Amino acid sequence: MKAAVIGTGEISVEHLRFLRDSSRAELVGVCDLSPASAAYASQRFGAGGAFTDYHEMLSKSSPQVVHILTPPQTHKQLVSDILNSGAHVICEKPLALNLGDFETLWSLANAKGRTLIEDHNYRFNKPILAIDKLIADGRLGKIHEVEVRLQLAIRSCGRFADRNLPSPVHGLPAGVIHDFITHLSYLALHYVPCGQRVAAAWSNHGGGDLFKYDDLDALIIGDGVHGRIRFTCHAGPDCFTVTVRGEKGYVHTDLFLPHLHLVVPRMGGAKLTPLVNQFVNGVGRIKASAVNFHRKLLQRTPYEGVVTFLDRTYAAIEKGTLLPVTYQDMKSTSELVDTLLHEDNAL
Ligand SMILES: NC(=O)c1ccc[n+]([C@@H]2O[C@H](COP(=O)([O-])OP(=O)(O)OC[C@H]3O[C@@H](n4cnc5c(N)ncnc54)[C@H](O)[C@@H]3O)[C@@H](O)[C@H]2O)c1
């Protein structure tokens, strides 16, 4: 399919690599407000053309699929314009800033008979797919708890800490955390059923006026499953961990340093199970450290799920089959973000 990209910043590298390497897509154009950035991306990934105006790109390149990879505040206008042009839309998270905007864009996509999908890439990282299989195989038993934790030292370094050139994400309703909240929400909702009770503590422990919040501690409870969402800039080191606990055992992973720590009933009965778990997980950690050292040398990012997400999305568009992220997935994620931000649920 003829594909184009709008926004050639940080995340575009993952999308452009897929578009360059996949037999499912032909990269007909890239667009960025910065001509240098568009030209560089076009040259690096072999695009058909480089543009600074997406209207011009749409009329000259006629893409069938457009990837929207611009800051969140721009998505509503861009998604509408692309759907109206007749192309399918793959949009970076958060697709919309609230549920109302999401529903408006979804209705437009339906009216135009086009696909609209939000990138939920971490759901397709290998450790999360492995946890899905453990749950499907009944290894953890009925699920009772999940904790999704993102620790990032973004106050002390990096582009979000830049006072002289503030990132546009500081202007989002939940500030910088809004840029990460989609990931935390769809991962929690992957294990916690709908109909939740929600309480959220939003804090700015570091103070000052650049960051609206720098910490979120939230509880979501649905159908007997407790979910906890944590975002902090203050605890170290950087990590993105997911822990899922069932009636038989639990599994833990860090998406920044992929491995699985699995504690479940093992051969040897109740007496030997704790020791077998310790031994198996110890060996697993040693192996994971070698694999992760290799990943570091190759400069692999934690965005590995983007490729699986995009490959499944293109396959579904081609064949008209179920998309890897459904309307219900996007709607419940957007709904949870609204609920977390609602003052009635503030702690
Ligand atoms: N899925 C993930 O894991 C992940 C990771 C990082 C960022 N993101 C998301 O991707 C999106 C982009 O983030 P980023 O970190 O790449 O941002 P970025 O600031 O690095 O890049 C955004 C680019 O969009 C361009 N742009 C803005 N408005 C434009 C317009 N109207 N036309 C053409 N170009 C325009 C800017 O010039 C900039 O180069 C955000 O929604 C962010 O939340 C997702």
Side-chain angles (χ1 to χ4, degrees):
M1 300 185 85
K2 286 165 71 179
V5 160
I6 306 179
T8 55
E10 181 180 324
I11 197 61
S12 73
V13 175
E14 311 297 329
H15 289 251
L16 288 165
R17 260 199 213 118
F18 168 83
L19 293 170
R20 180 192 59 195
D21 298 341
S22 172
S23 59
R24 297 189 190 279
E26 178 200 353
L27 181 61
V28 294
V30 292
C31 172
D32 198 287
L33 294 177
S34 156
S37 180
Y40 176 69
S42 173
Q43 196 183 8
R44 181 175 174 196
F45 295 100
F51 302 86
T52 52
D53 176 351
Y54 64 90
H55 297 289
E56 188 190 346
M57 180 173 77
L58 293 175
S59 67
K60 288 199 174 149
S61 304
S62 309
Q64 296 159 286
V65 183
V66 177
H67 298 230
I68 298 179
L69 316 177
T70 53
Q73 292 97 325
T74 63
H75 292 173
K76 191 176 179 190
Q77 183 68 52
L78 289 174
V79 171
S80 307
D81 288 353
I82 304 306
L83 289 172
N84 280 319
S85 81
H88 302 288
V89 172
I90 298 172
C91 186
E92 263 306 335
K93 56 77 195 166
L95 193 161
L97 295 186
N98 53 56
L99 181 61
D101 283 356
F102 167 70
E103 293 287 17
T104 304
L105 295 171
W106 182 259
S107 301
L108 179 61
N110 277 342
K112 295 283 169 189
R114 288 293 170 262
T115 295
L116 174 60
I117 190 166
E118 180 180 44
D119 185 8
H120 288 187
N121 46 304
Y122 284 107
R123 253 187 55 202
F124 303 95
N125 277 37
K126 284 183 186 132
I128 299 297
L129 296 175
I131 293 173
D132 286 351
K133 182 158 182 348
L134 286 169
I135 294 172
D137 292 348
R139 299 282 305 278
L140 303 180
K142 185 175 180 323
I143 300 307
H144 286 291
E145 274 186 48
V146 58
E147 184 195 80
V148 183
R149 169 180 290 267
L150 183 55
Q151 294 183 177
L152 287 175
I154 54 173
R155 280 202 78 120
S156 48
C157 57
R159 56 184 172 158
F160 298 127
D162 190 340
R163 297 198 142 271
N164 299 330
L165 200 61
S167 162
V169 300
H170 286 295
L172 294 171
V176 167
I177 301 182
H178 212 124
D179 202 41
F180 300 102
I181 192 79
T182 313
H183 292 313
L184 302 171
S185 297
Y186 66 67
L187 283 173
L189 288 171
H190 198 44
Y191 310 100
V192 183
C194 295
Q196 312 94 348
R197 282 183 282 154
V198 173
W202 297 88
S203 311
N204 182 2
H205 294 308
D209 55 8
L210 181 61
F211 281 72
K212 186 169 183 186
Y213 305 112
D214 61 11
D215 192 286
L216 169 65
D217 198 346
L219 184 64
I220 54 174
I221 305 173
D223 202 16
V225 187
H226 286 234
R228 188 176 180 207
I229 287 178
R230 279 292 285 131
F231 178 94
T232 181
C233 303
H234 300 287
D238 284 3
C239 68
F240 193 172
T241 60
V242 176
T243 309
V244 184
R245 295 179 188 275
E247 60 191 347
K248 289 192 200 165
Y250 71 90
V251 62
H252 172 84
T253 189
D254 183 347
L255 300 174
F256 289 169
L257 271 180
H259 73 282
L260 276 191
H261 182 91
L262 177 64
V263 174
V264 286
R266 306 273 190 182
M267 277 165 57
K271 288 222 160 42
L272 285 182
T273 277
L275 290 171
V276 178
N277 270 315
Q278 200 165 44
F279 176 78
V280 172
N281 283 309
V283 172
R285 289 245 171 186
I286 291 168
K287 280 190 191 159
S289 69
V291 172
N292 286 328
F293 178 64
H294 188 239
R295 283 169 52 90
K296 195 164 185 63
L297 290 179
L298 295 178
Q299 300 189 345
R300 291 270 158 79
T301 69
Y303 301 130
E304 47 141 320
V306 172
V307 172
T308 307
F309 163 76
L310 289 176
D311 192 56
R312 291 186 187 183
T313 300
Y314 271 84
I317 295 174
E318 273 168 25
K319 295 176 193 152
T321 51
L322 190 68
L323 289 156
V325 175
T326 63
Y327 164 72
Q328 194 53 46
D329 293 332
M330 294 185 275
K331 179 184 174 244
S332 52
T333 299
S334 195
E335 206 164 25
L336 177 57
V337 174
D338 280 5
T339 311
L340 288 167
L341 277 163
H342 201 286
E343 59 187 22
D344 287 355
N345 302 312
L347 271 179

